[in-house]
Amino acid sequence: MDRLWVDPDTGVRIVHRTLIPFRTAEGTELEQAPDTAPEKIYALLAEAGHKLRWTETARARMPLPDERTTLQLPDATRVLHTTRTTYGRKNAALLREEFRVNGDRAQAAYRITTESTRQLRAVRD
């Protein structure tokens, strides 16, 4: 499911893509409504007994032609492309989201705690 979000104050456009594996959607209301909003998807997964956690990667790159048009990017402007994977029980990947936004008008901010660094080490081991 692709969505286009536009900030009403700045006009910044964000393309948001949600990819739900069949095994995640099977037997849930996501099976019939894959266009469910991300916050509702998280709630459904938590209600199903998953303790959710996420990993994100972010990179700047030159846009594809359709991204340049959709995001209304000036020439030579990079896209900030962030990929978020949601994990649940048994370290199973449940959901993948992608965010693409004008790299000149965006920033990525993350809250890091001592707990999150311990979890990061556990994922890498």
Side-chain angles (χ1 to χ4, degrees):
M1 165 56 69
D2 286 346
R3 293 177 174 83
L4 176 64
W5 295 332
V6 181
D7 183 297
D9 297 326
T10 64
V12 172
R13 300 162 72 88
I14 300 171
V15 173
H16 176 249
R17 173 173 287 167
T18 305
L19 303 162
I20 306 169
F22 290 120
R23 71 177 183 277
T24 298
E26 189 174 31
T28 73
E29 65 184 78
L30 296 174
E31 195 169 26
Q32 301 302 318
D35 59 341
T36 300
E39 59 274 9
K40 173 79 173 176
I41 295 172
Y42 297 152
L44 291 169
L45 294 172
E47 288 170 13
H50 292 282
K51 182 178 178 188
L52 302 179
R53 65 178 187 76
W54 296 265
T55 60
E56 283 191 357
T57 59
R59 67 184 178 111
R61 61 171 174 76
M62 294 308 292
L64 300 171
D66 64 322
E67 292 170 327
R68 182 183 309 282
T69 301
T70 301
L71 296 172
Q72 299 177 347
L73 299 175
D75 288 342
T77 301
R78 292 183 171 270
V79 167
L80 179 62
H81 186 154
T82 304
T83 302
R84 175 185 299 158
T85 304
T86 303
Y87 296 91
R89 290 187 299 269
K90 298 181 182 177
N91 207 30
L94 302 172
L95 179 69
R96 179 179 168 147
E97 296 172 86
E98 295 180 1
F99 305 86
R100 288 164 285 162
V101 64
N102 180 332
D104 287 347
R105 302 200 52 203
Q107 65 180 4
Y110 299 91
R111 181 173 179 254
I112 300 173
T113 66
T114 56
E115 181 65 26
S116 63
T117 57
R118 277 195 297 272
Q119 290 173 351
L120 179 61
R121 279 191 293 261
V123 169
R124 288 186 178 165
D125 292 343

